[in-house]
Amino acid sequence: MTIDRVDVVLEVVKILLVVGLLLNVVPIMVWVERRGSALIQDRLGPNRVGPFGLIQSMADALKFILKEDVIPLQANKWLYTLAPLFGLLPALTTIAVVPWGRPFFIPTEVMYGPRVSGACIVGAAVTAILAIVVAGGTAKYHRKPNYSRLNFTIGAIVATALFLVALGLIGVMFGIKAAGALHLPGGGRLFEPIIADVNVGILLIFALASLSVYGITTAGWSSANKFSLFGGIRASAQMISYELSLALSAVSVLMVAGSLRLTDVVAKQTGYFVLFDSVKIPAWNCFSPAIWLAMIVFIVSAFAETNRLPFDFAEAEAELVAGYHTEYSSMKFAMFFMSEYIAMTTMSALVVTLFFGGWDVPWYNEPPTLAGFLLSAIAFLAKVGFVLFVFVWVRWTIPRLKYDILMKIGWKVFLPLAIVNIVLVAWFIAERWI
Amino acid sequence: MIELLIFFFFAAVAVIFALVVILHRNTVVGALSLVASFFALAVMYVLLDAPFLAALQVIVYAGAIMVLFLFVIMLLNLQHVSEPATRPIQQFLGYSGSAFFGIALVYYIVKYTVLQLPPGPFLSDARLIGVALFEAYIFPFEMVSILLLAAIVGALLLSGRGGQAPSPVRTEVAR
Amino acid sequence: MIPTSWFLVLSAILFTIGVCGFLTRRNGITMFMCVELMVNAVNLTFLAYARQFHQLHGLIFVFFVMAIAAAEAAVGLAIFISLFHHRETIDVDEANLMRW
């Protein structure tokens, strides 16, 4: 099959969108983690650095960049420096096979007049609202309000907001005057919102997830610190134990879908289950009783794979100082931090794709147009956001298990459950109940 | 064109990291270089129209076997145990013998395997492999599972833990 | 389209590197890693010919080779660990009790 320039440009656009999303999810998740944990623990959380503490993540990023980078004297310098990269690369590349929207046909011609005006209005409104919120949010924290300065600041911000609204109106008039059609070079093609639609899709996810063990092991070993070594070895033993139940519990979903491709898994979930001849439930795998056991095993194994509580022996703040990243500072620590959140996002995306219908909007068959695609992408993001919130919720609710109990239930409870689940789903498929 | 670039780049990666494995003193660096070499080989498998086996190569070799190697090296602290230098006569015979063998092998391959390019793409997805495994190769499949069981039992026995209960946890550590 | 003989040459080079490492190193773990390198070179040859002649049997053979190499690695490392516990050295030339 021939690949021409437009395909390459579309692929690059897709990669930029997805990687941009993943890298931007990290500061948002840091905020959700800190404010969410504060909500659960009945305290406030960061609220100084911006309205509701929203700029806290930027302050943290600046701190990470400006801190001194310390390398321990006896550490193996090459491996010490490369270990965060071993953790980050699998986390960033695993998302390549997850479909994040409905495939649609790129329109051949775009009328840009109304779109320009619409974009100007939306942009102006959003900026104006943000400006007013920031003004209102920061106005409370002046201790002894100097009213003239306060009024001046608020006045300046409202004036900027009005100026932007005026710019928006000018843009609207320009849009109405200069209406026309833009001919898109890629028009008529099917845009598939998945970076790499290989026919062994989910095996690549398992392959790259099993490579993420090396980041932790190398970090723990090359730090020349016994606590780090213990944290690294324990975490990698836990990760390779739970990889088995992760893969085997996903096999039952793949048996129902009949294919290894994640696009086929989602396509099978776009139908409906009809109960009592009248009630239509979207055919997501979470609504099908045969898959419930697989869902439980998969979600628990996903927690263990990403080293989140109740399985977070890699960090184990109360036990091992900071586990495998004890000796890391500034940007290298930030890269470990980022790779944990990115792996969490990828696992959530996988949970959503396998069990919660992927990009499918419930009770609505999206047409293959740009609007349908945007609706499905927003639905996907909403579902991934919900699962990420569940990750945060569980972290601050359930205590950490003892390490030997964790390994015991990994091998003696979840692995047999995953195998029993495969046999069960195979029986259901043979009896045509699924 | 892109295929050629990918082939040359990853072939170079595989060969260079294999050389690091045999030449570097530190065993951990050697193990990690072997992981990189296996990953490059997985890319070669994708170029050979076998993506299923490429994923399996990364999962089994790079993701499990090499982790086992790394565990053994790290837990036995083998990077501090120094390996004595090989005797000069063994080094000379080893290098020259393997160089002679390698040159002869490459020469005869280039001279005698003049093969036509394969007719078309090779369909080798998971469905066909699964069907072949469960129909034509069912007997080796079951035998390999018994072999793996034997390997597990053997490994447990050799490491001294076969069948016995683990040592009881001491509850009193200080008085 | 890449000619099959290029893959065979790459496989030969990797096999030779494995042989060289196996013959010249005295560290047991490194020799084991060179054996794995040789096995992978052979896997590449199998797949090159499987694509050339459009036979699925080459792929199945590689599948079984991977499974068996995993079993071999487990048992071999267990042997190596017990050897290390007895002798406190990783030099395989020291394991010479049965030499004449």
Side-chain angles (χ1 to χ4, degrees):
Chain A
M1 46 168 266
T2 51
I3 304 179
D4 60 343
R5 226 173 295 168
V6 177
D7 283 324
V8 173
V9 166
L10 285 176
E11 276 299 318
V12 169
V13 164
K14 278 190 254 186
I15 292 176
L16 286 176
L17 276 176
V18 169
V19 171
L21 176 76
L22 278 183
L23 291 175
N24 282 312
V25 127
V26 177
I28 300 177
M29 276 312 296
V30 168
W31 181 83
V32 167
E33 180 97 56
R34 293 174 75 165
R35 292 291 291 204
S37 67
L39 188 69
I40 292 175
Q41 292 174 346
D42 200 20
R43 57 183 172 89
L44 280 179
N47 56 0
R48 294 261 157 207
V49 193
F52 303 109
L54 281 168
I55 314 187
Q56 178 74 41
S57 307
M58 261 196 254
D60 281 339
L62 205 62
K63 173 193 77 167
F64 279 134
I65 295 175
L66 296 174
K67 243 189 190 177
E68 178 188 0
D69 194 37
V70 175
I71 301 186
L73 202 59
Q74 288 156 341
N76 185 335
K77 235 191 283 195
W78 277 97
L79 289 179
Y80 181 84
T81 313
L82 284 177
L85 200 68
F86 293 159
L88 197 60
L89 283 179
L92 278 176
T93 47
T94 318
I95 196 84
V97 292
V98 173
W100 37 275
R102 199 218 192 287
F104 70 102
F105 292 102
I106 303 178
T108 44
E109 286 193 335
V110 173
M111 306 285 295
Y112 62 74
R115 275 177 175 73
V116 164
S117 18
C120 288
I121 295 178
V122 167
V126 165
T127 323
I129 293 176
L130 269 180
I132 295 177
V133 163
V134 166
T138 49
K140 295 194 291 196
Y141 295 114
H142 294 127
R143 287 193 186 263
K144 264 194 301 193
N146 182 348
Y147 285 108
S148 56
R149 200 198 298 174
L150 187 62
N151 287 341
F152 176 74
T153 320
I154 294 185
I157 291 177
V158 171
T160 318
L162 284 175
F163 174 66
L164 288 169
V165 169
L167 267 185
L169 285 173
I170 295 178
V172 168
M173 291 195 306
F174 166 73
I176 293 177
K177 270 188 75 141
L182 182 65
H183 181 74
L184 286 177
R189 287 172 201 244
L190 188 67
F191 178 82
E192 296 191 37
I194 175 172
I195 296 179
D197 193 15
V198 288
N199 57 356
V200 288
I202 202 159
L203 279 187
L204 282 182
I205 296 189
F206 295 139
L208 291 165
S210 57
L211 282 182
S212 58
V213 174
Y214 285 109
I216 299 184
T217 317
T218 316
W221 179 80
S222 62
S223 300
N225 177 349
K226 300 263 186 315
F227 290 122
S228 304
L229 184 64
F230 280 151
I233 298 270
R234 289 201 321 187
S236 41
Q238 162 202 318
M239 282 173 82
I240 62 176
S241 314
Y242 280 90
E243 262 166 32
L244 289 169
S245 32
L246 193 81
L248 286 176
S249 58
V251 164
S252 51
V253 171
L254 300 170
M255 282 201 291
V256 167
S259 157
L260 286 173
R261 277 182 203 246
L262 285 173
T263 42
D264 289 343
V265 170
V266 176
K268 193 107 176 35
Q269 296 182 63
T270 50
Y272 296 97
F273 295 139
V274 181
L275 286 184
F276 311 120
D277 291 331
S278 54
V279 175
K280 272 195 341 179
I281 303 183
W284 295 353
N285 282 330
C286 59
F287 294 134
S288 143
I291 311 277
W292 285 342
L293 185 60
M295 192 161 79
I296 295 174
V297 174
F298 190 87
I299 291 180
V300 172
S301 306
F303 273 94
E305 271 299 298
T306 51
N307 288 321
R308 292 286 291 185
L309 261 152
F311 298 107
D312 73 339
F313 284 95
E315 293 135 24
E317 285 119 6
E319 294 176 9
L320 282 178
V321 188
Y324 69 98
H325 47 68
T326 310
E327 296 282 348
Y328 281 88
S329 59
S330 101
M331 255 342 257
K332 299 199 187 81
F333 177 74
M335 279 172 82
F336 275 122
F337 208 54
M338 267 167 46
S339 68
E340 173 176 333
Y341 281 112
I342 294 177
M344 211 165 95
T345 310
T346 308
M347 269 307 158
S348 310
L350 194 58
V351 166
V352 162
T353 309
L354 288 176
F355 298 105
F356 291 113
W359 44 255
D360 184 40
V361 178
W363 295 296
Y364 176 60
N365 286 329
E366 313 91 18
T369 58
L370 184 65
F373 161 69
L374 285 174
L375 199 60
S376 60
I378 292 175
F380 181 76
L381 285 175
K383 291 181 210 174
V384 170
F386 172 68
V387 177
L388 281 173
F389 179 68
V390 169
F391 265 86
V392 171
W393 190 9
V394 168
R395 176 179 182 171
W396 298 102
T397 310
I398 298 185
R400 188 183 298 132
L401 295 169
K402 254 182 76 176
Y403 184 67
D404 58 341
I405 294 181
L406 180 153
M407 293 299 278
K408 206 191 300 192
I409 62 175
W411 288 98
K412 292 193 197 172
V413 172
F414 286 114
L415 187 59
L417 272 181
I419 295 178
V420 158
N421 179 58
I422 293 181
V423 172
L424 214 65
V425 171
W427 176 39
F428 280 20
I429 292 179
E431 297 276 351
R432 316 216 185 235
W433 290 336
I434 295 189
Chain B
M1 169 60 188
I2 298 280
E3 273 194 28
L4 283 177
L5 275 176
I6 294 179
F7 174 77
F8 279 118
F9 178 68
F10 282 100
V13 164
V15 169
I16 289 174
F17 280 111
L19 284 171
V20 170
V21 169
I22 68 170
L23 293 175
H24 204 276
R25 280 291 125 203
N26 192 345
T27 330
V28 172
V29 170
L32 290 173
S33 318
L34 197 60
V35 172
S37 188
F38 285 164
F39 193 80
L41 273 181
V43 176
M44 292 285 130
Y45 292 1
V46 172
L47 281 175
L48 283 170
D49 289 336
F52 183 74
L53 279 171
L56 272 187
Q57 161 95 350
V58 177
I59 296 177
V60 171
Y61 262 112
I65 295 181
M66 293 314 295
V67 172
L68 183 61
F69 268 94
L70 270 176
F71 267 33
V72 168
I73 296 173
M74 289 179 186
L75 287 174
L76 295 183
N77 245 344
L78 287 174
Q79 73 276 7
H80 292 311
V81 183
S82 63
E83 169 193 346
T86 319
R87 295 184 298 260
I89 180 71
Q90 182 181 353
Q91 274 193 7
F92 171 70
L93 282 177
Y95 285 126
S96 59
S98 53
F100 180 63
F101 168 72
I103 293 175
L105 199 57
V106 172
Y107 171 70
Y108 282 111
I109 286 177
V110 168
K111 185 167 167 190
Y112 286 114
T113 58
V114 180
L115 296 163
Q116 266 80 32
L117 285 177
F122 179 37
L123 284 170
S124 68
D125 56 343
R127 177 179 301 265
L128 289 174
I129 295 182
V131 163
L133 272 180
F134 280 106
E135 290 187 358
Y137 288 91
I138 182 70
F139 182 65
F141 186 70
E142 301 294 337
M143 289 310 292
V144 161
S145 51
I146 296 181
L147 178 89
L148 285 168
L149 179 66
I152 293 174
V153 171
L156 277 175
L157 201 65
L158 282 168
S159 60
R161 285 281 195 97
Q164 347 165 343
S167 50
V169 176
R170 284 176 298 167
T171 49
E172 193 180 39
V173 291
R175 185 178 280 283
Chain C
M1 257 307 170
I2 301 173
T4 310
S5 49
W6 291 12
F7 286 105
L8 297 178
V9 167
L10 172 66
S11 162
I13 294 175
L14 285 173
F15 191 83
T16 312
I17 294 176
V19 166
C20 181
F22 190 77
L23 293 176
T24 51
R25 295 289 296 252
R26 283 166 76 154
N27 183 346
I29 297 272
T30 310
M31 289 170 76
F32 213 134
M33 292 198 289
C34 296
V35 169
E36 297 291 337
L37 197 57
M38 287 193 261
V39 170
N40 271 284
V42 169
N43 276 353
L44 188 63
T45 310
F46 271 122
L47 282 179
Y49 276 116
R51 182 187 78 147
Q52 171 71 36
F53 298 118
H54 279 216
Q55 294 261 0
L56 209 58
H57 304 299
L59 289 163
I60 306 289
F61 209 96
V62 168
F63 184 87
F64 284 121
V65 166
M66 280 185 198
I68 293 176
E72 166 207 350
V75 175
L77 285 171
I79 294 178
F80 185 80
I81 291 177
S82 56
L83 193 67
F84 180 72
H85 277 318
H86 277 279
R87 294 183 172 276
E88 303 297 329
T89 175
I90 51 172
D91 184 5
V92 293
D93 281 351
E94 296 289 326
N96 55 3
L97 272 182
M98 294 181 76
R99 209 197 286 180
W100 60 85

